Amino acid sequence: MTRPIEPAARTAAQVLVDQLRLQGVTRIFCVPGESYLPVLDALLGSGIAVTVCRNEGGASMMAEAWGKQTGRPGICFVTRGPGATNGSGGVHIAQQDSSPMILFVGQVERENRGRDAFQEVDYRAFFGGMAKWVAEVNEPERMGEMVAKAFAVAMAGRQGPVVLALPHDVLPSPSLSPDVPFVAAVETAPGEAAMNSLADLLAQSERPMLILGGGRWSDAAGGQVARFAQKFGIPVCTSFRRAHLFDATHPNYAGDLGLGANPKLVARVKQSDLVIALGARLNELTSQGYTLFDIPVPQMKLVHVYPGAEEIGRVYHPHLAIHATPSAFAAALEALEPRLAPIDARPAHRDYRDWSEKPLPQPGAVNLSEIMCWLRDHLPADAIVSNGAGNYSAWIHRFFRFRRFNTQMATVCGFMGYGLPAAVAMKALYPQRKVLALAGDGDFLMTGQEFATAIQYRLPVIVLVFDNAILGTIRMHQEREYPGRVSATGLVNPDFAAMARSFGGFGATIEKTADFAAAFLAAEESGLPALLHVKFDAEGITPSTTLTAITAKARNP
Ligand SMILES: Cc1ncc(C[n+]2csc(CCOP(=O)(O)OP(=O)(O)O)c2C)c(N)n1
């Protein structure tokens, strides 16, 4: 039975846990430490589920993924120095990907602060450049206030990470801290004048483009944007790793502006006369290495709609700046009516289809584009697909079709090891949905130990490990810049399928494309966390070129 919240006679740790409940938290991710035992104790009977992870890196990525998916902070608890430093990965991702998350870290007793005490870290210095707010709860009476503020800050404007340190002696102390009610994320709606200006710009534009990205979206907002795009005939593309914001099968979809973007899409954006960037920061990868738009004043008219006012104008000076959340802005779009005949978005969608429809030839017995095309036909539209970083992800970006909101779970900052922890968190959140993690061989072993977490909590995720026995992305860059000089990019791999079986999961090895479908169906059938070890030829380094061709080009430019 869930313990009732009784404001009298609580410890600060109990106040903290009660505050999490008041904020609607249903699950936390952690690696335990002796520094926060009172919190672990208060969690018993609280109704909040606890996922114990094998490494704080995995735990913090799970919390970040939870925040990215739900729009409310994912919660991670880690111990002092070793836990906090291991757990910093999720904080970096949350910052770059604009995901709400709170990392609670243990801290030394107040009386020992500054003595370089056991595992002491100055968290303000350590996380200061990454987190939106870093603080220590030094007064037990302020626990409720500080935790509620952490929620407010993490969710405000451009969302992101907050780090709260919990001194060892504060947690068991009696606390008369008042509780704070549920904190809702603040929505910012566009003003009438801004929407009128936008209507004027649309009426003057012959080649508009819509770029969707960032956080603070909803399923409903996606539908509103799709109706707007269709009404005006505007081609829609998505920013790096936000492909799920627009149905890839929609006749207005023009593709995603990530790594390995369709050159025809890049040209189309460059030549447009009006770009509406909705929620996208237009980061380095989306902007194709800051080459898509002139800096600081883009060549076309740029309308930048963003939920954090401080981000607007960071790189690009917009013709029209609109401080609004994508959800509120999308709702306002419903009122706009075209003054001109709709533009024809079909050529843009045709370019996308031509680019992504058919598998391409690939050296060796395993063809990744055929596997991606099989997956896109086989998986239900609401399946969640996560990945980490590596060249294998180029096949996802190009050939997979994300059709529903929030089905793509990948980092904008290209963090290796993200796929499996994100998948574990998503399967815990949506037990009924199919959840896949796609990983490279180097990528997977960064957090592969979290397969044990999937086993422990009976979360049947399916992991595909694409094994080419190299750190392919870096080898590719090496061949481009130092042709033939291979340094530190080779890998000797374990039998990943046997590893999965030894953990208690399903494991199979695939060495021919034709064997993939049966192995995948067997993985689904097993009902266990599963791993498919897909061995492919390193020569096929991207969907469109080979290692040999890259080396030859570098030698004879
Ligand atoms: C945590 C982390 N460390 C290092 C890198 C740099 N990095 C980017 S991709 C990559 C290699 C990925 O190799 P693999 O997982 O084998 O995939 P492949 O590129 O071969 O498909 C590396 C080392 C990174 N992005 N993240």
Side-chain angles (χ1 to χ4, degrees), residues 120 234 246 248 253 288 294 314 353 410 468 471 515 519-520:
E120 181 177 3
I234 303 180
F246 204 77
Y253 188 59
Q288 310 294 301
D294 291 344
R314 185 198 275 261
R353 289 273 180 178
N468 55 2
L471 293 157
D515 295 341
F520 192 88

Side-chain angles (χ1 to χ4, degrees), residues 162-373:
V162 166
V163 177
L164 272 193
L166 308 168
H168 199 130
D169 56 318
V170 167
L171 290 173
S173 300
S175 167
L176 291 174
S177 169
D179 294 316
V180 182
F182 186 79
V183 179
V186 179
E187 291 287 333
T188 318
E192 206 180 316
M195 293 311 283
N196 288 340
S197 302
L198 175 64
D200 291 343
L201 289 172
L202 284 166
Q204 292 154 20
S205 169
E206 291 170 3
R207 298 179 307 284
M209 285 290 307
L210 193 48
I211 304 177
L212 312 182
R216 312 221 46 184
W217 282 89
S218 65
D219 199 16
Q224 287 157 341
V225 167
R227 280 195 291 282
F228 162 76
Q230 198 143 18
K231 221 166 23 175
F232 283 75
I234 303 180
V236 181
C237 59
T238 47
S239 67
F240 183 51
R241 293 192 168 150
R242 306 284 189 184
H244 62 91
L245 292 177
F246 204 77
D247 178 355
T249 61
H250 190 283
N252 287 55
Y253 188 59
D256 80 305
L257 276 173
L259 283 173
N262 182 354
K264 287 196 174 163
L265 172 61
V266 173
R268 190 176 291 280
V269 176
K270 273 190 178 159
Q271 287 154 15
S272 65
D273 59 4
L274 176 67
V275 164
I276 305 170
L278 172 44
R281 279 195 288 133
L282 304 178
N283 61 35
E284 182 171 356
L285 296 184
T286 300
S287 67
Q288 310 294 301
Y290 296 111
T291 61
L292 208 46
F293 313 106
D294 291 344
I295 297 174
V297 185
Q299 64 276 28
M300 73 287 283
K301 285 181 178 153
L302 172 68
V303 178
H304 201 174
V305 186
Y306 203 80
E310 67 287 352
E311 289 296 325
I312 300 175
R314 185 198 275 261
V315 184
Y316 304 104
H317 174 83
H319 186 83
L320 175 62
I322 301 182
H323 178 203
T325 56
S327 294
F329 180 81
L333 284 177
E334 297 264 82
L336 293 188
E337 289 302 329
R339 296 183 206 156
L340 308 170
I343 296 148
D344 189 2
R346 282 174 303 181
H349 188 61
R350 211 175 302 127
D351 285 351
Y352 164 68
R353 289 273 180 178
D354 290 347
W355 173 250
S356 62
E357 193 74 19
K358 290 208 180 77
L360 296 173
Q362 186 175 334
V366 165
N367 184 307
L368 300 193
S369 54
E370 284 180 28
I371 289 176
M372 278 327 141
C373 291

Side-chain angles (χ1 to χ4, degrees), residues 17 36 83 113-114 120 137 139 251 281 296 307 313 359 361 426 429 437 483 485 539-540 546 553:
V17 171
Y36 67 96
R113 290 286 283 115
E120 181 177 3
V137 187
E139 297 83 20
R281 279 195 288 133
M426 291 304 97
L429 183 60
R485 293 177 61 79
E539 177 63 359
T546 61
K553 195 169 165 204

